[in-house]
Amino acid sequence: MSSDTAARLVESMRELLWERGYTGTSPKAVLQRAGAGQGSMYHHFSGKADLAQSAVAATAAELRATADAQLSGHGPAVDRLTAYLRREREVLRGCPIGGLTQDAELMADPALRAPVTETLAWLRSRLAAVLAEAVASGELAPSLDPEATAAALVATLQGGYVLARAEGSPEPFEQAVAGVLGLLSAFATGSSAG
């Protein structure tokens, strides 16, 4: 068994978790998607939960890297934040991390829940840091609460996914992002110390 097989198993589990959730994903489906033999999962992982933990951790790491790259770029903090909120997403598939919170079996397992909880907390913290930077540079008014606003931004994104999936259209997600950016613009000062 090669590490290539393990990587295919992790990637297949990642895809299936996003499509079906943990409860709806069987080991057989993972093996079929990966094109792997019946014993290969147990050669590399102790079982479905162990494989899922690796898959969720990989998805969480990818989400963090993508978000951090956008939020850490050059230019005014509000521009970076806007670019992050408006970036291309597979809206109708939902959030690959946030969507897992709807899976009762996954959330009941502390080891599987941990990367989900940690990633959402990291995102709130990272957004709060960018908002604090915007306040410090004079882009946003000092009355803006970075932590509360970051929580509202994450809630808007997650809720936007739910609304879009319910309607079968990305439009509600786009409206939610436009709405929260409109609310944020009320704190714009029109100046920047940067």
Side-chain angles (χ1 to χ4, degrees), residues 4 12 14 36 54 57 59 62 76 87 105-106 108 113 117 124 134 163 166 171 174-175 177 180:
D4 178 54
S12 295
R14 287 180 65 188
S54 293
T59 298
E62 183 178 276
R87 77 173 171 84
E105 189 178 350
L106 184 138
R113 183 179 64 243
T117 304
R124 285 193 317 273
L163 294 173
E171 189 175 342
E174 293 160 6
Q175 287 176 326
V177 169
V180 79

Side-chain angles (χ1 to χ4, degrees), residues 14-191:
R14 287 180 65 188
E15 292 169 5
L16 288 165
L17 286 172
W18 200 5
E19 292 169 19
R20 304 178 184 180
Y22 181 73
T23 304
T25 298
S26 68
K28 182 178 179 181
V30 175
L31 292 170
Q32 286 176 338
R33 175 80 54 107
Q38 192 155 2
S40 62
M41 183 168 78
Y42 297 99
H43 176 79
H44 295 285
F45 304 95
S46 62
K48 176 182 171 181
D50 186 32
L51 174 56
Q53 189 172 4
S54 293
V56 174
T59 298
E62 183 178 276
L63 185 146
R64 287 182 189 203
T66 299
D68 197 46
Q70 288 183 305
L71 295 169
S72 298
H74 298 291
V78 171
D79 290 354
R80 288 181 274 131
L81 184 64
T82 300
Y84 169 74
L85 292 171
R86 289 191 171 152
R87 77 173 171 84
E88 184 90 18
R89 290 176 168 84
E90 293 185 63
V91 174
L92 295 180
R93 290 185 74 188
C95 176
I97 290 294
L100 295 175
T101 64
Q102 300 302 308
D103 193 309
E105 189 178 350
L106 184 138
M107 294 306 288
D109 183 325
L112 292 174
R113 183 179 64 243
V116 173
T117 304
E118 291 164 6
T119 299
L120 292 172
W122 174 87
L123 183 58
R124 285 193 317 273
S125 174
R126 188 68 188 91
L127 290 171
V130 175
L131 289 161
E133 180 186 338
V135 170
S137 71
E139 293 176 67
L140 296 174
S143 59
L144 180 122
D145 179 336
E147 290 182 15
T149 304
L153 293 177
V154 173
T156 298
L157 291 174
Q158 294 303 316
Y161 282 120
V162 171
L163 294 173
R165 291 188 76 177
E167 214 169 284
S169 166
E171 189 175 342
F173 182 93
E174 293 160 6
Q175 287 176 326
V177 169
V180 79
L181 286 171
L183 293 171
L184 199 57
S185 72
F187 288 91
T189 62
S191 65

